[in-house]
Amino acid sequence: MGSFSIWHWLIVLLIVVMVFGTKKLKNMGSDLGGAVKGFKDGMKDGSADAPAAPPAGQVANNQAADKTTIDVEAKQKS
């Protein structure tokens, strides 16, 4: 009930080709491939350009951070 046989998939493929046509499907495939390649290149370039940041929850050890740091665990006076 949950799985389709090869004949079901062939009929679905035939209907898709009839509706969209082979030329449109070919263009859609190349556009998708170009988008994936661009995304991978962007991720590769982005990781090389980004400076190494300290882990979350830790403050860098410099003078500017000490002046603007706020204690988030401060307790109110009763």
Side-chain angles (χ1 to χ4, degrees):
M1 183 174 140
S3 64
F4 292 107
S5 70
I6 188 69
W7 294 110
H8 290 107
W9 289 114
L10 288 175
I11 291 170
V12 169
L13 179 64
L14 179 66
I15 292 171
V16 168
V17 169
M18 288 173 51
V19 169
F20 293 109
T22 56
K23 185 176 180 182
K24 187 168 247 183
L25 290 175
K26 181 181 175 186
N27 290 340
M28 192 180 341
S30 63
D31 290 343
L32 181 64
V36 170
K37 184 178 179 184
F39 178 75
K40 286 182 180 179
D41 290 342
M43 292 299 290
K44 194 181 304 181
D45 292 342
S47 64
D49 295 340
Q58 295 183 0
V59 178
N61 206 8
N62 60 19
Q63 295 294 336
D66 292 337
K67 293 179 184 177
T68 60
T69 303
I70 299 172
D71 187 11
V72 294
E73 294 183 17
K75 308 218 187 276
Q76 291 183 339
K77 293 182 182 178
S78 300

